[in-house]
Amino acid sequence: MEFDLSTFLLEIVNFLILIWILQRLFYKPVLAVIARRKQHIDRTLAEAQELQQQAEDLRQRYENRQNQWELEKRAALNALHREIDAERKTQMDKLEADLEQERQKAKVTLSRLQQDIQQQAEKKALQNGARFAGILLQQAAGPELEASLCGMLLDHFTDLPEECRLCLQMLDAKKSVTIHITSAYPLSDGLKQKLEQKLGALINRHDVFHYHQSPELIAGLRIDIGAWVLNANLQHELAGFAEIAHEAE
């Protein structure tokens, strides 16, 4: 096979023409498509990176917000615990004050109850004492006891209170007053004489004396001079004892 220069040159020209045609019709559009695709890919990557950055920012904000919520929750729980403790302390103090008030009331009530029981016991004792003394004096009463009481009365005539003396001396300016002497047992003439002498010395005059007998006196005397009454008998003393028992109520 012989080398044909003209054929070789034509082949070269055809090849160059083919290269120009390919570059003109196919290479530049392909490069443009590749460039556009690359731009699209870059834009997509940029958007993806932006979305990733936004997602990262959202995640960071969420974590920060979650941490903040956790801190707020702890602070709220601590505040709630403090309020509960304060309210518990307030309620406990109030309960303690109420209990102390109830204890004081119970103490006062118990003290009053004890005083009432003591007063009732004292009253009962006084009543029993008065009853027993009455029974005992009624059994022990007699002329001898009455004579002793009359002797004590005669001895104390000189020791009468000043107001009693003044009351008796005011009788001087009045007309004659009847003096009533009541006894539980009959009085002897000697005792009557002593009574009249003593009373006469107190009034500085002689009045009319009337003698009476009343077993209710048990023993002793009751002397009535106008509105003035002198009791020296067991009935009066027992009545005073019973009155003390009644006042003890």
Side-chain angles (χ1 to χ4, degrees), residues 145-165:
L145 180 59
E146 186 171 80
S148 298
L149 292 174
C150 292
M152 292 173 59
L153 177 62
L154 292 173
D155 292 338
H156 285 83
F157 265 138
T158 55
D159 299 330
L160 288 176
E162 187 63 26
E163 54 270 16
C164 293
R165 292 179 177 275

mmCIF file of all heavy atoms in Angstrom, residues 145-165:
data_model
loop_
_atom_site.group_PDB
_atom_site.id
_atom_site.type_symbol
_atom_site.label_atom_id
_atom_site.label_comp_id
_atom_site.label_asym_id
_atom_site.label_seq_id
_atom_site.Cartn_x
_atom_site.Cartn_y
_atom_site.Cartn_z
ATOM 1 N N LEU A 145 -75.515 23.128 181.169
ATOM 2 C CA LEU A 145 -74.952 23.851 180.031
ATOM 3 C C LEU A 145 -75.549 25.246 179.925
ATOM 4 O O LEU A 145 -74.829 26.217 179.649
ATOM 5 C CB LEU A 145 -75.198 23.061 178.750
ATOM 6 C CG LEU A 145 -74.674 23.686 177.452
ATOM 7 C CD1 LEU A 145 -73.168 23.908 177.516
ATOM 8 C CD2 LEU A 145 -75.040 22.816 176.249
ATOM 9 N N GLU A 146 -76.852 25.349 180.174
ATOM 10 C CA GLU A 146 -77.476 26.667 180.111
ATOM 11 C C GLU A 146 -76.937 27.579 181.199
ATOM 12 O O GLU A 146 -76.705 28.781 180.974
ATOM 13 C CB GLU A 146 -78.993 26.514 180.238
ATOM 14 C CG GLU A 146 -79.719 27.842 180.044
ATOM 15 C CD GLU A 146 -81.213 27.643 179.966
ATOM 16 O OE1 GLU A 146 -81.845 27.498 181.027
ATOM 17 O OE2 GLU A 146 -81.730 27.620 178.835
ATOM 18 N N ALA A 147 -76.701 27.036 182.394
ATOM 19 C CA ALA A 147 -76.137 27.839 183.482
ATOM 20 C C ALA A 147 -74.747 28.334 183.108
ATOM 21 O O ALA A 147 -74.371 29.474 183.397
ATOM 22 C CB ALA A 147 -76.104 27.023 184.776
ATOM 23 N N SER A 148 -73.969 27.458 182.436
ATOM 24 C CA SER A 148 -72.628 27.875 182.013
ATOM 25 C C SER A 148 -72.709 29.001 180.980
ATOM 26 O O SER A 148 -71.943 29.965 181.029
ATOM 27 C CB SER A 148 -71.879 26.681 181.417
ATOM 28 O OG SER A 148 -71.710 25.661 182.387
ATOM 29 N N LEU A 149 -73.647 28.878 180.037
ATOM 30 C CA LEU A 149 -73.810 29.929 179.041
ATOM 31 C C LEU A 149 -74.260 31.242 179.670
ATOM 32 O O LEU A 149 -73.800 32.331 179.279
ATOM 33 C CB LEU A 149 -74.817 29.492 177.973
ATOM 34 C CG LEU A 149 -74.379 28.338 177.066
ATOM 35 C CD1 LEU A 149 -75.525 27.910 176.162
ATOM 36 C CD2 LEU A 149 -73.179 28.757 176.217
ATOM 37 N N CYS A 150 -75.150 31.150 180.646
ATOM 38 C CA CYS A 150 -75.596 32.362 181.333
ATOM 39 C C CYS A 150 -74.451 33.003 182.093
ATOM 40 O O CYS A 150 -74.312 34.232 182.136
ATOM 41 C CB CYS A 150 -76.740 32.014 182.294
ATOM 42 S SG CYS A 150 -78.262 31.523 181.437
ATOM 43 N N GLY A 151 -73.590 32.157 182.707
ATOM 44 C CA GLY A 151 -72.430 32.705 183.405
ATOM 45 C C GLY A 151 -71.483 33.412 182.456
ATOM 46 O O GLY A 151 -70.963 34.480 182.778
ATOM 47 N N MET A 152 -71.287 32.833 181.291
ATOM 48 C CA MET A 152 -70.432 33.485 180.287
ATOM 49 C C MET A 152 -71.047 34.801 179.839
ATOM 50 O O MET A 152 -70.336 35.802 179.642
ATOM 51 C CB MET A 152 -70.238 32.561 179.086
ATOM 52 C CG MET A 152 -69.424 31.314 179.391
ATOM 53 S SD MET A 152 -69.383 30.158 177.994
ATOM 54 C CE MET A 152 -68.651 31.192 176.745
ATOM 55 N N LEU A 153 -72.380 34.815 179.684
ATOM 56 C CA LEU A 153 -73.046 36.054 179.291
ATOM 57 C C LEU A 153 -72.885 37.133 180.345
ATOM 58 O O LEU A 153 -72.596 38.296 180.026
ATOM 59 C CB LEU A 153 -74.532 35.770 179.030
ATOM 60 C CG LEU A 153 -75.389 36.980 178.667
ATOM 61 C CD1 LEU A 153 -74.904 37.613 177.359
ATOM 62 C CD2 LEU A 153 -76.855 36.583 178.547
ATOM 63 N N LEU A 154 -73.034 36.773 181.598
ATOM 64 C CA LEU A 154 -72.877 37.751 182.684
ATOM 65 C C LEU A 154 -71.458 38.290 182.734
ATOM 66 O O LEU A 154 -71.243 39.484 183.003
ATOM 67 C CB LEU A 154 -73.262 37.108 184.012
ATOM 68 C CG LEU A 154 -74.755 36.769 184.180
ATOM 69 C CD1 LEU A 154 -74.975 35.965 185.471
ATOM 70 C CD2 LEU A 154 -75.597 38.037 184.213
ATOM 71 N N ASP A 155 -70.482 37.412 182.464
ATOM 72 C CA ASP A 155 -69.088 37.859 182.499
ATOM 73 C C ASP A 155 -68.779 38.818 181.346
ATOM 74 O O ASP A 155 -67.905 39.686 181.477
ATOM 75 C CB ASP A 155 -68.149 36.649 182.423
ATOM 76 C CG ASP A 155 -68.236 35.790 183.684
ATOM 77 O OD1 ASP A 155 -68.673 36.328 184.728
ATOM 78 O OD2 ASP A 155 -67.908 34.596 183.605
ATOM 79 N N HIS A 156 -69.482 38.675 180.232
ATOM 80 C CA HIS A 156 -69.188 39.501 179.063
ATOM 81 C C HIS A 156 -70.069 40.736 178.963
ATOM 82 O O HIS A 156 -69.973 41.486 177.986
ATOM 83 C CB HIS A 156 -69.339 38.672 177.775
ATOM 84 C CG HIS A 156 -68.208 37.713 177.550
ATOM 85 N ND1 HIS A 156 -68.155 36.476 178.150
ATOM 86 C CD2 HIS A 156 -67.067 37.821 176.804
ATOM 87 C CE1 HIS A 156 -67.056 35.839 177.762
ATOM 88 N NE2 HIS A 156 -66.366 36.646 176.946
ATOM 89 N N PHE A 157 -70.939 40.948 179.931
ATOM 90 C CA PHE A 157 -71.750 42.157 179.888
ATOM 91 C C PHE A 157 -70.900 43.416 179.940
ATOM 92 O O PHE A 157 -71.233 44.444 179.361
ATOM 93 C CB PHE A 157 -72.746 42.150 181.057
ATOM 94 C CG PHE A 157 -74.103 41.601 180.665
ATOM 95 C CD1 PHE A 157 -74.793 40.744 181.493
ATOM 96 C CD2 PHE A 157 -74.681 41.973 179.471
ATOM 97 C CE1 PHE A 157 -76.018 40.238 181.130
ATOM 98 C CE2 PHE A 157 -75.924 41.472 179.105
ATOM 99 C CZ PHE A 157 -76.598 40.596 179.932
ATOM 100 N N THR A 158 -69.796 43.320 180.688
ATOM 101 C CA THR A 158 -68.912 44.496 180.810
ATOM 102 C C THR A 158 -68.053 44.705 179.563
ATOM 103 O O THR A 158 -67.419 45.744 179.407
ATOM 104 C CB THR A 158 -67.987 44.325 182.031
ATOM 105 O OG1 THR A 158 -67.270 43.080 181.901
ATOM 106 C CG2 THR A 158 -68.815 44.293 183.311
ATOM 107 N N ASP A 159 -68.018 43.692 178.657
ATOM 108 C CA ASP A 159 -67.192 43.779 177.447
ATOM 109 C C ASP A 159 -68.035 43.977 176.195
ATOM 110 O O ASP A 159 -67.590 43.664 175.090
ATOM 111 C CB ASP A 159 -66.366 42.491 177.281
ATOM 112 C CG ASP A 159 -65.430 42.272 178.461
ATOM 113 O OD1 ASP A 159 -65.002 43.272 179.060
ATOM 114 O OD2 ASP A 159 -65.140 41.100 178.767
ATOM 115 N N LEU A 160 -69.228 44.493 176.344
ATOM 116 C CA LEU A 160 -70.074 44.707 175.182
ATOM 117 C C LEU A 160 -69.468 45.756 174.255
ATOM 118 O O LEU A 160 -68.815 46.687 174.717
ATOM 119 C CB LEU A 160 -71.475 45.162 175.613
ATOM 120 C CG LEU A 160 -72.375 44.103 176.266
ATOM 121 C CD1 LEU A 160 -73.683 44.741 176.717
ATOM 122 C CD2 LEU A 160 -72.653 42.960 175.317
ATOM 123 N N PRO A 161 -69.671 45.649 172.961
ATOM 124 C CA PRO A 161 -69.169 46.663 172.020
ATOM 125 C C PRO A 161 -69.765 48.036 172.308
ATOM 126 O O PRO A 161 -70.838 48.160 172.889
ATOM 127 C CB PRO A 161 -69.621 46.129 170.657
ATOM 128 C CG PRO A 161 -69.827 44.666 170.857
ATOM 129 C CD PRO A 161 -70.299 44.506 172.273
ATOM 130 N N GLU A 162 -69.051 49.095 171.921
ATOM 131 C CA GLU A 162 -69.469 50.452 172.207
ATOM 132 C C GLU A 162 -70.819 50.766 171.576
ATOM 133 O O GLU A 162 -71.649 51.466 172.177
ATOM 134 C CB GLU A 162 -68.407 51.427 171.687
ATOM 135 C CG GLU A 162 -68.651 52.875 172.071
ATOM 136 C CD GLU A 162 -68.606 53.092 173.586
ATOM 137 O OE1 GLU A 162 -67.932 52.300 174.285
ATOM 138 O OE2 GLU A 162 -69.260 54.041 174.057
ATOM 139 N N GLU A 163 -71.076 50.236 170.373
ATOM 140 C CA GLU A 163 -72.355 50.524 169.731
ATOM 141 C C GLU A 163 -73.512 49.898 170.501
ATOM 142 O O GLU A 163 -74.614 50.460 170.560
ATOM 143 C CB GLU A 163 -72.363 50.036 168.273
ATOM 144 C CG GLU A 163 -72.008 48.591 168.058
ATOM 145 C CD GLU A 163 -70.517 48.416 167.864
ATOM 146 O OE1 GLU A 163 -69.768 49.359 168.208
ATOM 147 O OE2 GLU A 163 -70.120 47.351 167.367
ATOM 148 N N CYS A 164 -73.276 48.743 171.127
ATOM 149 C CA CYS A 164 -74.331 48.118 171.941
ATOM 150 C C CYS A 164 -74.617 48.956 173.193
ATOM 151 O O CYS A 164 -75.770 49.138 173.602
ATOM 152 C CB CYS A 164 -73.914 46.700 172.330
ATOM 153 S SG CYS A 164 -73.812 45.573 170.927
ATOM 154 N N ARG A 165 -73.556 49.473 173.792
ATOM 155 C CA ARG A 165 -73.735 50.320 174.970
ATOM 156 C C ARG A 165 -74.518 51.581 174.610
ATOM 157 O O ARG A 165 -75.415 52.009 175.343
ATOM 158 C CB ARG A 165 -72.374 50.696 175.566
ATOM 159 C CG ARG A 165 -71.634 49.504 176.185
ATOM 160 C CD ARG A 165 -70.278 49.953 176.726
ATOM 161 N NE ARG A 165 -69.583 48.866 177.371
ATOM 162 C CZ ARG A 165 -69.765 48.513 178.643
ATOM 163 N NH1 ARG A 165 -70.612 49.205 179.404
ATOM 164 N NH2 ARG A 165 -69.104 47.510 179.176
#
